[in-house]
């Protein structure tokens, strides 16, 4: 077994683990307020429910945006 055949499975496993460990896109922040990584994802989330996003502001540490669907 050479180094190439050893590294390829390791790279595939690392990719799978990293992809599976991604956090949820839309998460509850506090009562009635949600957090999304971007305005686009927030708007898509509300649109899927036939609602309109209402922007609350940036999430703490600039980790996304806060919004409500109404």
């Amino acid at each position: 077994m050479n180094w190439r055949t050893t590294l390829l499975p390791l790279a595939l496993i690392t990719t799978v683990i990293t992809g599976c460990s991604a956090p949820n896109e839309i998460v509850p922040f506090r009562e009635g307020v949600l957090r999304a990584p971007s305005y686009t994802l927030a708007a898509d989330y509300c649109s899927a429910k036939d609602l309109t996003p209402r922007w609350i502001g940036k999430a703490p540490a600039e980790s996304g945006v806060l919004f409500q669907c109404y």
Side-chain angles (χ1 to χ4, degrees):
M1 190 183 261
N2 65 28
W3 65 272
R4 288 185 182 141
T5 56
T6 304
L7 290 180
L8 181 59
L10 181 60
L12 291 174
I13 291 170
T14 303
T15 301
V16 169
I17 290 172
T18 303
C20 293
S21 65
N24 291 335
E25 298 291 330
I26 309 297
V27 294
F29 184 73
R30 61 179 179 255
E31 188 175 330
V33 178
L34 301 166
R35 184 184 59 77
S38 70
Y39 287 103
T40 304
L41 289 172
D44 290 346
Y45 178 83
C46 291
S47 293
K49 297 175 180 273
D50 291 326
L51 298 170
T52 304
R54 180 174 151 225
W55 310 113
I56 307 296
K58 291 191 176 194
E62 309 246 347
S63 62
V65 295
L66 300 177
F67 69 101
Q68 294 174 321
C69 295
Y70 68 97

